[in-house]
Amino acid sequence: SSELSSGINAEYGGRGKGHFSSGLKGGVKICYSIDEAVKHSEGMIGHTLYTKQTGEQGRPCNDVLVCERVYCRKEFYFAIVMDRAVHGPCMIVSTQGGMNIEDVARDNPEAIHKIPVDIEKGISEEQIEAVAEVLEMGGDQRAQLKTSVEKLYNLFVKYDSTLLEINPLAELTDGRVLCLDCKINFDDNAEYRHPDLFSKRDWSQEDKRDVEANNAGLNYIGLDGSIGCLVNGAGLAMATMDIIKLHGGDPANFLDVGGGATSEQVTEAFKIISSDPKVKAILVNIFGGIMRCDVIAQGILDAATNLNLDIPLIVRLQGSNVKEAKALMALSNIKILPIDNLDEAASMAVKLSDIVSRAQELKIKVDFSLGI
């Protein structure tokens, strides 16, 4: 082909409107010669791309995908998601492809059609026909579409996907029906079934803290707030973040240590939280069921000692071995503020975070000699 399209091969969106540290504007380029494709690629590979989804730190560009330029007559949207509401896969179809599906859902929700699939029975001919009907395809294009939909569904199930999104699914001017862009997510719990697939994960595209958390067996998501959170259980973690917001603060992360964390994992969790310069206070909220409070307490003490934490540490422990945990903390010289009531603990975390932030702005060192 005399016309090519080159673009950064990355795990985030907004590439077309992004910019590189090299000065190049846009992560997707139309090229009219091999030389032009090489020139644009040199401005991408080895440089950092900044988009709305990468944040201020950007992400490195390690490779570029070069493909034939094609001309679309129509662009559609097709996706398969794991939908809790239907207890299995659900196909999402729209004639309005090539744009943000979120915008379509907001401005023209009737243009989006959902077709649930029974995961035990598999996709049926009637359901495939329903997709073709929504997209109003006929003739040879209809046959091509039906073949593609069946293959995409089988791919989705085979590799334990949670999302397979084609945007756009296009009918070309030459009559072909092609998937022009794809995003596919996989269930992390199925890693043991697909080691070859998961070995291809490009960790250079991930936040360093996410990589460290994964290696330590922790569930971590970095946020933009100033209060670090260490909690056991996803539900309790979300509730903790909600209460922090209720008191006017902002959580710096979601971190679930799970039900079987060791003191070493707790120490690693503190390393990850405290490595974020935005964190001004840390709130620990543990309900000891499977997780023992004394294990958490020992991890807290080890982390505070080894990391020389100089920010407020608010700890709320309830449940298994809580008396032993409190005794451990009481016998230590670590500055910890224990609070049994979660609402009070969240309120205190917000207040202390605000004090630290203001002190740092004024270049004043604050010593939190809290004791037990």
Side-chain angles (χ1 to χ4, degrees):
S1 173
S2 59
E3 296 185 10
L4 305 168
S5 174
S6 66
I8 175 174
N9 192 25
E11 300 176 1
Y12 37 83
R15 293 165 292 175
K17 296 180 180 179
H19 64 279
F20 289 86
S21 55
S22 64
L24 182 68
K25 305 293 184 182
V28 179
K29 295 291 185 180
I30 302 299
C31 309
Y32 296 93
S33 67
I34 299 286
D35 291 339
E36 192 175 354
V38 170
K39 179 182 177 181
H40 285 312
S41 298
E42 289 175 343
M44 298 179 184
I45 296 177
H47 299 283
T48 302
L49 175 66
Y50 302 92
T51 75
K52 288 184 177 180
Q53 293 189 18
T54 65
E56 296 178 355
Q57 74 277 15
R59 288 291 186 272
C61 173
N62 300 322
D63 49 60
V64 168
L65 177 66
V66 179
C67 61
E68 174 190 359
R69 183 184 183 186
V70 295
Y71 295 87
C72 303
R73 192 171 77 85
K74 292 181 180 178
E75 293 185 349
F76 310 103
Y77 178 90
F78 176 82
I80 309 173
V81 299
M82 275 295 181
D83 189 344
R84 289 181 182 272
V86 301
H87 311 292
C90 182
M91 295 187 290
I92 302 174
V93 189
S94 177
T95 55
Q96 299 188 26
M99 62 184 76
N100 277 338
I101 195 63
E102 294 85 357
D103 294 341
V104 178
R106 182 192 65 225
D107 302 331
N108 190 17
E110 62 274 9
I112 296 177
H113 301 263
K114 296 183 178 181
I115 305 170
V117 179
D118 187 322
I119 196 168
E120 296 292 337
K121 296 179 180 178
I123 194 167
S124 66
E125 179 68 20
E126 291 76 15
Q127 289 163 333
I128 298 174
E129 281 286 349
V131 175
E133 284 295 323
V134 170
L135 301 184
E136 300 175 351
M137 280 196 186
D140 183 53
Q141 285 72 37
R142 192 182 189 93
Q144 292 181 61
L145 173 69
K146 290 170 64 176
T147 299
S148 295
V149 168
E150 184 174 14
K151 288 182 177 179
L152 289 170
Y153 178 81
N154 291 337
L155 174 70
F156 178 86
V157 173
K158 180 179 179 181
Y159 289 101
D160 295 289
S161 301
T162 55
L163 166 70
L164 188 154
E165 181 183 60
I166 308 296
N167 190 21
L169 171 68
E171 179 184 337
L172 307 186
T173 53
D174 62 10
R176 288 181 292 166
V177 175
L178 293 181
C179 301
L180 298 188
D181 199 1
C182 175
K183 176 180 180 180
I184 182 166
N185 293 343
F186 305 96
D187 186 347
D188 289 338
N189 295 310
E191 181 175 358
Y192 73 97
R193 289 210 291 244
H194 311 288
D196 292 342
L197 178 64
F198 278 82
S199 69
K200 294 178 171 59
R201 186 168 185 174
D202 184 359
W203 289 105
S204 71
Q205 302 296 320
E206 308 279 351
D207 187 299
K208 180 182 177 182
R209 293 166 297 174
D210 294 344
V211 178
E212 292 173 349
N214 181 78
N215 292 338
L218 303 169
N219 298 312
Y220 174 88
I221 301 173
L223 302 172
D224 296 325
S226 61
I227 301 172
C229 302
L230 190 153
V231 190
N232 67 320
L236 187 59
M238 289 187 285
T240 303
M241 293 191 293
D242 286 343
I243 293 175
I244 288 172
K245 292 286 287 185
L246 184 66
H247 285 283
D250 288 297
N253 63 272
F254 169 100
L255 197 153
D256 170 19
V257 296
T262 63
S263 59
E264 289 78 14
Q265 284 178 301
V266 174
T267 301
E268 190 62 33
F270 269 96
K271 286 182 183 178
I272 295 168
I273 294 173
S274 61
S275 69
D276 184 349
K278 298 191 301 294
V279 171
K280 310 303 180 187
I282 298 177
L283 173 61
V284 177
N285 183 22
I286 299 295
F287 181 80
I290 300 173
M291 168 57 67
R292 288 164 38 197
C293 291
D294 58 328
V295 172
I296 290 289
Q298 188 60 58
I300 292 171
L301 298 177
D302 292 343
T305 302
N306 297 332
L307 300 175
N308 295 317
L309 292 177
D310 59 355
I311 56 176
L313 181 56
I314 302 94
V315 178
R316 186 245 183 188
L317 301 176
Q318 293 292 337
S320 300
N321 291 8
V322 67
K323 291 182 180 179
E324 292 85 345
K326 289 182 176 180
L328 279 172
M329 293 189 293
L331 293 172
S332 75
N333 296 318
I334 306 300
K335 300 171 184 177
I336 297 174
L337 182 59
I339 300 178
D340 290 339
N341 183 282
L342 176 55
D343 191 62
E344 293 176 7
S347 176
M348 182 60 70
V350 172
K351 291 175 182 177
L352 293 178
S353 172
D354 188 48
I355 290 172
V356 172
S357 297
R358 293 184 182 183
Q360 289 180 350
E361 289 174 2
L362 297 172
K363 298 182 179 179
I364 298 173
K365 182 174 177 59
V366 181
D367 183 17
F368 288 91
S369 300
L370 300 171
I372 296 293

